[in-house]
């Protein structure tokens, strides 16, 4: 919940002050209206760096590997896909951001993953809507966006399992829903 709150506050600050250029990753990108190739690449690599650092920190804090280890390794691959584009377009690397915030419970981390991947997908969708985007950048962004959709599914499964576990526990004690399907 801490990260969700911090992210919400960050987006609010960006919206009211216009400091999107100083906000790294998807949060900064989503607050901006237009982009140069340099902006897009900066936001993209910042978001991948942030995700990799976050998932590494979460694995260490909670002493877990799944689903974070596979996704953390994928983030490193995403970074590797972006690096040649900086060289190809003569763009200097931005500073590596450090905004990892550790929530209080493991269950909260899954929702953070869901929210982060949704923002990442939205960022790439915005970038890919640019009709002047060069084909090589478009190809990498499409690949990264599709990978984020897979990551989103992995985190959503964890959220669903956490919720089901809580609902099943409530049912054992007579306080939960009687029939989960009746709500659909």
């Amino acid at each position: 919940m801490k990260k969700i709150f911090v992210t919400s506050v960050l987006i609010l600050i960006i919206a009211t002050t216009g400091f999107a250029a100083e906000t790294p990753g998807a949060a900064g990108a989503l607050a901006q209206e237009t982009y140069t190739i340099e902006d897009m690449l900066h936001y993209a690599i910042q978001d991948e760096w942030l995700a990799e650092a976050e998932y590494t920190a979460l694995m260490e804090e909670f002493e877990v590997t799944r689903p974070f280890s596979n996704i953390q390794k994928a983030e490193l691959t995403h970074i590797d896909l972006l690096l040649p584009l900086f060289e190809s377009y003569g763009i200097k690397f931005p500073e590596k951001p450090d905004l990892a915030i550790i929530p209080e419970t493991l269950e909260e981390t899954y929702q953070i993953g869901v929210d982060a991947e949704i923002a990442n997908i939205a960022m790439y969708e915005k970038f890919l809507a640019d009709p002047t985007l060069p084909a090589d950048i478009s190809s990498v962004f499409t690949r990264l966006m599709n990978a984020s959709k897979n990551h989103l599914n992995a985190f959503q499964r964890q959220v669903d399992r956490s919720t089901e576990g809580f609902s099943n526990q409530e049912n054992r004690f007579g306080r939960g829903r009687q029939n989960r399907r009746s709500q659909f």
Side-chain angles (χ1 to χ4, degrees):
M1 292 308 285
K2 288 179 189 176
K3 183 168 183 178
I4 295 168
F5 176 75
V6 170
T7 302
S8 298
V9 170
L10 247 155
I11 291 171
L12 180 61
I13 290 168
I14 293 164
T16 58
T17 64
F19 288 121
E22 295 177 17
T23 303
L30 293 173
Q32 193 167 320
E33 293 292 320
T34 60
Y35 312 94
T36 63
I37 296 294
E38 181 177 13
D39 292 337
M40 290 183 207
L41 290 175
H42 279 196
Y43 286 129
I45 200 157
Q46 288 170 341
D47 205 60
E48 302 300 339
W49 279 334
L50 285 168
E52 191 277 329
E54 183 79 19
Y55 301 144
T56 298
L58 293 173
M59 286 188 297
E60 291 172 8
E61 176 70 20
F62 293 103
E63 298 178 357
V64 296
T65 55
R66 298 284 176 158
F68 303 107
S69 61
N70 289 340
I71 297 173
Q72 182 264 346
K73 288 176 189 169
E75 300 301 347
L76 292 171
T77 300
H78 300 175
I79 292 164
D80 287 343
L81 289 169
L82 288 165
L83 292 177
L85 296 174
F86 281 86
E87 187 174 324
S88 294
Y89 290 87
I91 296 172
K92 182 181 162 192
F93 292 110
E95 284 190 38
K96 197 171 186 179
D98 182 26
L99 294 177
I101 296 173
I102 306 298
E104 293 180 23
T105 68
L106 182 60
E107 287 72 25
E108 287 176 310
T109 67
Y110 303 137
Q111 187 60 52
I112 288 168
V114 166
D115 295 340
E117 296 300 340
I118 288 170
N120 183 271
I121 292 164
M123 175 185 72
Y124 286 124
E125 286 174 340
K126 251 182 136 173
F127 294 165
L128 289 164
D130 182 343
T132 65
L133 192 64
D136 56 343
I137 295 175
S138 178
S139 175
V140 169
F141 286 175
T142 299
R143 186 170 171 185
L144 299 180
M145 181 181 65
N146 290 336
S148 288
K149 289 176 182 178
N150 292 333
H151 301 171
L152 173 60
N153 291 333
F155 283 120
Q156 188 60 57
R157 279 192 300 275
Q158 294 299 323
V159 167
D160 294 345
R161 286 181 187 142
S162 295
T163 305
E164 284 176 12
F166 183 69
S167 295
N168 289 339
Q169 188 171 9
E170 283 184 331
N171 284 335
R172 278 194 314 191
F173 297 108
R175 293 187 303 265
R177 294 175 278 184
Q178 295 301 317
N179 183 345
R180 292 177 64 215
R181 289 192 176 138
S182 66
Q183 293 194 350
F184 296 107

